[in-house]
Amino acid sequence: MNVEQQLMDLRAAELCRCQYMESKEFIANHLAESTTGEDRLMESICAIDNRRDALKRVEKNKGAPGVDGVKTRELAGVLNRCWGAIKTSLLDGSYEPLPVRRKTIEKPDGGTRDLGIPVVQDRFVQQATTQVLTAIYDHTFSDSSYGYRPGRSQAQAVERAREYVQRGANYVASIDLSKFFDRVNHDRLMSRLAKRIKDKRVLKLIRAFLNSGIMLENDEITYPGEGTPQGGPLSPLLSNIVLDELDKELERRGLRFVRYADDIVIFVRTRIAGERVLKSVSRFICERMKLKVNEEKSSVELPWNIKFLGFRITQMMGKTRLSIHQKSLERFKEPKRSADNFRRK
């Protein structure tokens, strides 16, 4: 398949995705309103079809147990026995999630990443909530955002990056957010959510998940007061809601960019423009969004010198191409060792 055909397929897929998300938003909003005008978004979350889809997704994703030790395969039985009580607590706003279990893993490029693994019941409630909120939020997100969104992928993100280089972007400003998921400001996030979510029970539920605490490996429970721990179904959507503020700012400035979760690359014509953009955008992230930029890993480089989502852009005979980055290839050579290490942990 040639590049032109690939681009046509990507555009067709994006059109179908937009039409699908618009229909999902209509359904979600319709369910969220009663005949008296009362906000009933929580009823949408508890609806039987939404619950059924959430259960299938959690069971399919499997995953390790949380602090209570209950496994994913036991979730259906838990819901059969306890759904009445769970639903009542969700509808009256008294649902209280358990702390997430801290799991520290090694990052491919060095350092560590802390995951927060919810118990399977909380995972189910998060998934049900995420499905309804995605229908409301996703179509409002930037066209340059690709991470954790239905119908979007890493392949589309790196292809968009390649297109920008093909169209004349000579430099790339790469911005690395330092421990983004651990530093999300709860008050700013809740303020953004309240602009579109009017059902206070849903806002209270999300706040409860944010404040549920983290059980460390020594069984101590800590309450950091910030961050959206990676590991639950709700965290990716919340991260996109937070970073949509950055997307809208970049669009307002007329910048060409691609964002996949917290990986951000901005495409410019000259190094001077790149340095200026890197400085001003970093200031916006730190001062306005209350996040932190890793200055050591953020830079302005030629397109061929950056690694984006495991790929690099190359150019030959005036045509740009995508290839797997050397560092990614090196990791592929050690799959057995990595798997053995993971099992031993």
Side-chain angles (χ1 to χ4, degrees):
M1 183 183 298
N2 59 34
V3 174
E4 291 184 359
Q5 184 61 47
Q6 288 178 332
L7 292 176
M8 291 177 62
D9 290 344
L10 288 174
R11 293 188 184 102
E14 176 63 11
L15 177 61
C16 292
R17 187 193 70 83
C18 290
Q19 293 172 340
Y20 170 76
M21 292 312 303
E22 286 174 0
S23 66
K24 291 287 281 186
E25 185 197 23
F26 172 81
I27 294 171
N29 286 336
H30 178 70
L31 288 173
E33 297 177 357
S34 70
T35 55
T36 62
E38 181 185 3
D39 294 310
R40 297 173 58 84
L41 193 60
M42 187 63 81
E43 279 73 10
S44 300
I45 292 171
C46 294
I48 185 169
D49 288 344
N50 190 54
R51 297 197 326 258
R52 186 182 297 115
D53 291 344
L55 176 60
K56 289 180 180 178
R57 180 63 65 87
V58 173
E59 289 179 330
K60 180 180 179 181
N61 290 342
K62 299 182 179 180
V67 296
D68 62 356
V70 177
K71 299 179 181 179
T72 308
R73 64 172 179 267
E74 302 174 74
L75 176 58
V78 170
L79 295 178
N80 286 335
R81 295 190 302 271
C82 306
W83 172 245
I86 296 171
K87 180 179 179 180
T88 297
S89 65
L90 289 171
L91 293 179
D92 67 19
S94 64
Y95 186 87
E96 294 185 4
L98 292 176
V100 298
R101 181 169 65 86
R102 167 70 56 82
K103 176 68 175 180
T104 302
I105 62 173
E106 295 181 1
K107 297 171 67 174
D109 56 352
T112 60
R113 174 181 289 116
D114 291 330
L115 302 182
I117 303 174
V119 299
V120 292
Q121 178 180 304
D122 290 344
R123 215 176 300 170
F124 165 78
V125 174
Q126 285 194 28
Q127 181 62 43
T129 304
T130 299
Q131 289 168 180
V132 172
L133 296 188
T134 295
I136 294 173
Y137 275 97
D138 190 79
H139 82 289
T140 70
F141 291 153
S142 170
D143 186 54
S144 297
S145 167
Y146 289 88
Y148 308 131
R149 297 182 60 188
R152 297 204 151 203
S153 65
Q154 288 190 9
Q156 292 173 323
V158 295
E159 173 59 26
R160 174 66 69 88
R162 186 203 64 79
E163 287 181 17
Y164 283 145
V165 176
Q166 181 67 48
R167 294 174 187 174
N170 298 318
Y171 288 89
V172 181
S174 177
I175 299 178
D176 184 87
L177 298 182
S178 177
K179 293 187 177 296
F180 163 71
F181 287 91
D182 298 332
R183 291 197 167 101
V184 170
N185 183 285
H186 289 179
D187 290 338
R188 296 194 84 255
L189 169 58
M190 294 306 302
S191 176
R192 291 186 65 80
L193 289 169
K195 292 178 180 179
R196 294 184 66 86
I197 300 175
K198 303 307 177 184
D199 191 327
K200 294 183 179 179
R201 297 168 300 175
V202 177
L203 294 173
K204 184 178 179 181
L205 176 65
I206 295 173
R207 174 74 82 168
F209 279 120
L210 294 174
N211 294 332
S212 62
I214 301 171
M215 179 174 285
L216 306 179
E217 295 182 4
N218 62 0
D219 292 338
E220 178 186 350
I221 298 178
T222 180
Y223 299 90
E226 63 180 359
T228 59
Q230 291 177 275
L234 189 58
S235 179
L237 175 61
L238 295 182
S239 70
N240 272 333
I241 292 172
V242 170
L243 290 175
D244 186 60
E245 181 180 4
L246 173 61
D247 296 341
K248 295 301 190 289
E249 175 65 16
L250 298 181
E251 289 178 342
R252 186 187 68 80
R253 299 184 186 190
L255 296 171
R256 296 177 294 176
F257 70 98
V258 178
R259 182 177 66 79
Y260 191 96
D262 56 344
D263 287 318
I264 307 158
V265 284
I266 305 173
F267 298 84
V268 295
R269 294 276 185 179
T270 68
R271 179 175 289 277
I272 293 176
E275 297 288 355
R276 183 175 64 249
V277 165
L278 178 59
K279 182 177 180 179
S280 63
V281 173
S282 295
R283 185 187 309 116
F284 178 87
I285 292 171
C286 296
E287 296 180 1
R288 179 74 66 84
M289 301 182 67
K290 309 303 181 185
L291 299 172
K292 185 176 181 180
V293 174
N294 187 331
E295 296 182 359
E296 292 183 358
K297 294 185 177 181
S298 300
S299 62
V300 177
E301 303 284 351
L302 293 168
W304 347 112
N305 295 338
I306 69 163
K307 177 168 75 79
F308 181 53
L309 303 178
F311 287 82
R312 65 187 293 260
I313 300 172
T314 61
Q315 187 175 51
M316 182 178 295
M317 304 291 289
K319 295 289 185 179
T320 54
R321 292 177 172 81
L322 294 169
S323 63
I324 300 176
H325 197 277
Q326 182 61 34
K327 291 183 178 179
S328 300
L329 288 173
E330 291 172 358
R331 290 204 306 273
F332 290 153
K333 296 177 182 178
E334 304 176 338
K336 186 176 186 302
R337 180 180 65 83
S338 298
D340 289 343
N341 287 345
F342 182 77
R343 282 192 289 269
R344 283 196 292 270
K345 294 178 181 178

